[in-house]
């Protein structure tokens, strides 16, 4: 019991070092300084009550704060689910070009070798050292492989991106 409490205290001390960053994330979500402070405090309480089993990273904190904000809106009865089709606006050429780049990126990701694709996707969520601990693959190899794959994707999408910028 004492070890669990000590773990939670150390976790919260580590998290509080990035307090300003968490406030910026919360402010980005709710656009209100006072509410952002409340959301971050609630996030600390939630992580203390339910310590995560996985590594805590910025994305994890972002999702936690976002869910706390949605809960707040539901309590205030300000939250309504909006169908995506309602939000769609007439597409202009820039919007079409942007989605064409995204479609092309998905196509290129599908064409990647399974190993390269898996490393790239894992790298989005974890550091190379964490992946090394899980898979026993050298972290430098992971880093270099991801860099090489990203450079290849950039080269393949370079013309599409230039067309997008040209309008």
């Amino acid at each position: 019991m004492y070890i669990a409490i000590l773990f939670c205290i150390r976790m919260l001390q580590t998290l509080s070092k990035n307090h300003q960053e968490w406030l910026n994330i919360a402010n980005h979500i709710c656009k209100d300084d006072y509410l952002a402070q409340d959301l971050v405090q609630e996030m600390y309480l939630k992580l203390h009550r339910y310590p995560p089993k996985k590594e805590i990273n910025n994305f994890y904190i972002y999702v936690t704060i976002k869910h706390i904000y949605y809960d707040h809106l539901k309590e205030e009865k300000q939250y309504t689910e909006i169908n995506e089709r309602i939000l769609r606006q007439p597409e202009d050429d820039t919007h079409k070009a942007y989605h064409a780049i995204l479609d092309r990126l998905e196509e290129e990701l599908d064409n990647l070798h399974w190993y390269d694709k898996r490393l790239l996707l894992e790298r989005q969520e974890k550091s190379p050292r964490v992946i090394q601990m899980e898979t026993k693959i050298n972290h430098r190899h992971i880093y270099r492989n991801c860099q090489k794959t990203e450079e290849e994707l950039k080269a393949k999408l370079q013309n599409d991106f230039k067309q997008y910028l040209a309008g």
Side-chain angles (χ1 to χ4, degrees):
M1 180 71 173
Y2 178 74
I3 295 173
I5 293 172
L6 187 60
F7 171 76
C8 285
I9 290 172
R10 286 191 180 159
M11 176 188 65
L12 291 175
Q13 286 174 340
T14 304
L15 282 173
S16 65
K17 290 179 184 175
N18 295 331
H19 183 74
Q20 189 58 45
E21 187 175 347
W22 310 144
L23 283 174
N24 291 341
I25 289 172
N27 202 359
H28 174 75
I29 292 171
C30 68
K31 310 289 190 253
D32 180 4
D33 291 333
Y34 295 109
L35 181 57
Q37 292 175 4
D38 290 343
L39 292 176
V40 170
Q41 295 302 320
E42 187 66 32
M43 180 260 312
Y44 288 135
L45 291 172
K46 191 170 196 168
L47 291 176
H48 176 70
R49 276 185 245 137
Y50 311 106
K53 294 178 175 84
K54 298 192 307 185
E55 173 187 1
I56 297 177
N57 55 23
N58 289 0
F59 182 72
Y60 186 89
I61 298 295
Y62 173 80
V63 170
T64 303
I65 292 173
K66 184 174 73 166
H67 286 287
I68 292 170
Y69 179 62
Y70 287 160
D71 290 343
H72 168 76
L73 290 179
K74 285 178 185 175
E75 288 173 8
E76 298 291 321
K77 305 225 186 289
Q78 297 176 5
Y79 176 76
T80 55
E81 297 231 5
I82 299 175
N83 190 338
E84 251 185 71
R85 285 183 232 146
I86 295 172
L87 294 176
R88 288 195 181 140
Q89 299 173 354
E91 294 186 359
D92 60 354
D93 291 338
T94 306
H95 190 72
K96 287 179 185 177
Y98 176 74
H99 284 286
I101 291 174
L102 291 180
D103 291 341
R104 181 97 161 80
L105 177 61
E106 284 184 35
E107 180 183 311
E108 289 298 331
L109 284 173
D110 288 339
N111 292 336
L112 283 177
H113 187 269
W114 68 268
Y115 178 77
D116 296 334
K117 183 177 180 179
R118 178 73 186 261
L119 279 183
L120 197 61
L121 293 176
E122 286 287 323
R123 179 67 178 94
Q124 297 299 313
E125 297 176 9
K126 303 172 190 169
S127 72
R129 290 192 185 268
V130 171
I131 298 170
Q132 176 181 343
M133 287 188 291
E134 293 173 356
T135 63
K136 307 298 184 228
I137 300 171
N138 188 303
H139 69 277
R140 286 177 270 156
H141 168 75
I142 294 168
Y143 179 79
R144 284 192 304 268
N145 188 287
C146 289
Q147 288 294 105
K148 180 184 72 109
T149 305
E150 288 173 359
E151 287 173 11
E152 289 173 358
L153 286 172
K154 285 178 187 176
K156 290 179 181 178
L157 297 172
Q158 190 171 19
N159 290 336
D160 295 320
F161 187 69
K162 285 179 182 177
Q163 289 176 351
Y164 168 70
L165 291 178

